[in-house]
Amino acid sequence: MNIILKAAKIIDPDSPYNNQIVDIQIQNNKIIKIDKEINHADFKTVSLDNLHVSQGWFDSSVCFGEPGFEERETIEHGLEVAAKSGFTQVAIEPHSYPITDSQSIVSFIKQKAWGKATDALPIAALTKNSDGSDLAELFDMKNAGAIAFGDYKKAIDNANVLKIALQYVQDFDGLLIAFAQDESIQGKGVAHEGVESTKLGLKGIPALAEELQIARNLFLLEYTGGKMHIPTISTSKSVELIKAAKQKGLQVTCSVSVHHLVLTDKKLNGFDTRFKVLPPLRDEANRQSLIQGVLDGTIDCITSEHNPLDIEHKKLEFDQASFGTIGLESAFGALCTILPIEIVIKKLTAAKGLFHQKQYSIAENNQTCLTLFNPTGKWKFSKSNILSKSKNSAFLDCDMQGEVYGIFNNNQLIINKKI
């Protein structure tokens, strides 16, 4: 595909054109020229209001359901949603049936995603059937295309299993994902243990359930060496623990979800199960600590934590409903209401490096992997903005800022509007 992006402001610290408004000429998936004014009759021109471009965004935690839960979301349609939401790569969690715990399932996901504009990068289960007992076929799944290993929303209770896994994956430079939630402390909790859960009569999940697990996992990492990624942290103490571990030289990274940065447990007042997530939405003090962790670099990346669920799993009493919210469509708009655009872009692209994916700065002769967007303009997220098959969004009726136009990746231009 041959196109020229007209009057595009580049947001890319790695680019010599950072913060400049330029034309970008692309031919056969490569940037061939960047200049103030480019015109060529044989190239399609793309002109959009207040167009900004950055390196393509990477989401480190996305669920699509397939195989097994296609009624929630399919891989093909999910990747279309991701593209229109600005993501050029998504890491797909092993939240399917069967669980991604074998080379064949990893290959299935890669095959279903072949030729799409957005790349699907499978995260494989760390243990067989994600039951926490025996390690899955980690090396075989790595060779099939798995980019990391972790049991989705399940902590490894057996410390020795986690220790052996950390030691084993070092042989092939593997990345281990360690979700942090002590289930014995969580118990039957459904909301953050605090003032709001007490007022509403909901069983609480103490912050300690997350923090205790993180502390244990960091001790194991210090003992074994290797690399660990802690997904979707949610408390002030978690930020402190990870910051201290990094200062000690441990190879630990972490992420936070968009909804934990933007929303608090005050949203639970109506017992709306769209706000039932794991970890639970915390209070304002924890939210502010998470934002500070993003700003000071302790938190490495931000994820939409996209988890489509059908009404049979969400239209229930709060105690009975499943944990999870969709988030691809609302991620950028929600983040722009609380963070500077440079930080938003940095945290939406940082996971590429953490998960060993190639990064292409916006420069001449580089491969094209771009996200197109407008960081200005205020609006409200509504049902019409939901592109996913499932509609369980925690951001309905929330204020947004900015607009995603689409992506250019794998020599494909995906745009949300007519040009």
Side-chain angles (χ1 to χ4, degrees):
M1 177 176 282
N2 299 333
I3 66 169
I4 298 173
L5 301 177
K6 301 293 291 183
K9 183 172 183 178
I10 293 176
I11 306 295
D12 179 8
D14 298 327
S15 170
Y17 303 94
N18 186 37
N19 284 322
Q20 296 183 32
I21 299 177
V22 294
D23 289 358
I24 304 172
Q25 187 175 12
I26 300 169
Q27 183 176 35
N28 297 328
N29 210 37
K30 180 180 285 189
I31 298 173
I32 61 172
K33 187 176 182 181
I34 299 178
D35 209 339
K36 289 294 183 183
E37 183 72 26
I38 302 173
N39 293 292
H40 198 296
D42 295 333
F43 282 68
K44 178 181 180 179
T45 60
V46 177
S47 182
L48 296 162
D49 293 341
N50 195 29
L51 174 60
H52 287 56
V53 299
S54 70
Q55 293 185 33
W57 303 343
F58 181 108
D59 195 328
S60 61
S61 181
V62 168
C63 298
F64 284 151
E66 189 178 10
F69 302 123
E70 287 84 358
E71 72 279 3
R72 301 178 186 178
E73 188 59 277
T74 63
I75 292 172
E76 180 178 5
H77 186 260
L79 291 176
E80 291 177 9
V81 174
K84 291 179 179 180
S85 302
F87 294 92
T88 54
Q89 289 90 22
V90 294
I92 300 180
E93 296 280 5
H95 188 46
S96 56
Y97 184 79
I99 285 170
T100 312
D101 62 356
S102 68
Q103 183 178 359
S104 61
I105 304 299
V106 173
S107 298
F108 169 84
I109 294 170
K110 298 289 286 186
Q111 183 180 21
K112 292 287 288 189
W114 180 258
K116 304 302 180 186
T118 295
D119 300 312
L121 307 170
I123 295 174
L126 181 63
T127 62
K128 293 179 181 178
N129 204 35
S130 290
D131 64 8
S133 300
D134 301 310
L135 293 184
E137 305 165 3
L138 305 185
F139 185 65
D140 287 346
M141 292 191 290
K142 167 84 170 181
N143 289 337
I147 62 168
F149 310 97
D151 295 339
Y152 182 67
K153 296 297 182 186
K154 292 183 178 180
I156 304 298
D157 292 332
N158 188 323
N160 194 51
V161 169
L162 188 60
K163 176 181 74 70
I164 292 171
L166 281 164
Q167 293 169 327
Y168 177 64
V169 298
Q170 290 179 56
D171 291 340
F172 50 87
D173 196 29
L175 176 63
L176 191 150
I177 299 175
F179 179 68
Q181 194 77 220
D182 188 309
E183 293 185 4
S184 65
I185 293 179
Q186 175 189 343
K188 296 182 179 180
V190 295
H192 171 61
E193 183 181 77
V195 174
E196 296 301 322
S197 63
T198 302
K199 288 195 303 185
L200 298 171
L202 295 173
K203 297 182 180 69
I205 302 176
L208 179 65
E210 175 177 310
E211 298 156 0
L212 189 64
Q213 194 82 19
I214 287 177
R216 188 207 70 170
N217 291 350
L218 291 174
F219 270 117
L220 288 170
L221 179 64
E222 185 174 10
Y223 177 81
T224 61
K227 294 181 293 186
M228 177 187 290
H229 179 72
I230 302 174
T232 58
I233 65 171
S234 66
T235 77
S236 303
K237 185 66 175 177
S238 295
V239 176
E240 294 174 13
L241 288 167
I242 292 169
K243 186 173 186 176
K246 288 184 173 187
Q247 290 171 346
K248 291 171 68 174
L250 299 187
Q251 294 188 76
V252 59
T253 58
C254 65
S255 68
V256 65
S257 75
V258 177
H259 44 268
H260 283 103
L261 288 173
V262 178
L263 307 175
T264 70
D265 59 350
K266 286 187 177 295
K267 287 286 187 180
L268 303 181
N269 284 331
F271 296 97
D272 192 328
T273 59
R274 291 182 297 112
F275 303 110
K276 186 180 180 181
V277 292
L278 190 70
L281 296 177
R282 303 291 184 183
D283 58 20
E284 180 64 14
N286 281 297
R287 188 183 79 88
Q288 290 297 330
S289 294
L290 293 172
I291 291 175
Q292 184 57 43
V294 168
L295 294 174
D296 68 20
T298 302
I299 297 175
D300 300 274
C301 57
I302 299 173
T303 172
S304 71
E305 186 58 21
H306 182 80
N307 185 7
L309 294 168
D310 50 52
I311 59 173
E312 284 81 4
H313 290 82
K314 293 301 272 187
K315 289 286 187 178
L316 301 167
E317 293 180 358
F318 201 92
D319 285 353
Q320 302 300 317
S322 297
F323 293 99
T325 176
I326 58 172
L328 284 170
E329 304 97 313
S330 52
F332 178 71
L335 288 174
C336 285
T337 65
I338 59 166
L339 294 170
I341 186 62
E342 292 80 11
I343 297 296
V344 172
I345 301 306
K346 180 179 180 180
K347 297 304 179 179
L348 289 179
T349 56
K352 287 186 181 182
L354 306 183
F355 286 81
H356 304 298
Q357 300 304 302
K358 290 182 179 180
Q359 295 174 278
Y360 300 99
S361 64
I362 304 175
E364 292 179 354
N365 299 315
N366 277 2
Q367 184 171 318
T368 310
C369 178
L370 303 175
T371 297
L372 287 61
F373 59 95
N374 175 3
T376 62
K378 297 184 183 300
W379 54 286
K380 195 174 289 288
F381 191 79
S382 66
K383 288 184 179 180
S384 64
N385 301 118
I386 296 178
L387 306 174
S388 302
K389 289 180 68 174
S390 295
K391 310 303 178 184
N392 56 308
S393 172
F395 285 98
L396 279 177
D397 300 322
C398 286
D399 293 331
M400 299 276 148
Q401 179 175 312
E403 177 183 7
V404 176
Y405 288 133
I407 65 170
F408 190 99
N409 190 45
N410 294 332
N411 206 28
Q412 298 177 56
L413 177 67
I414 306 294
I415 294 290
N416 285 317
K417 57 173 61 178
K418 291 183 179 181
I419 53 175

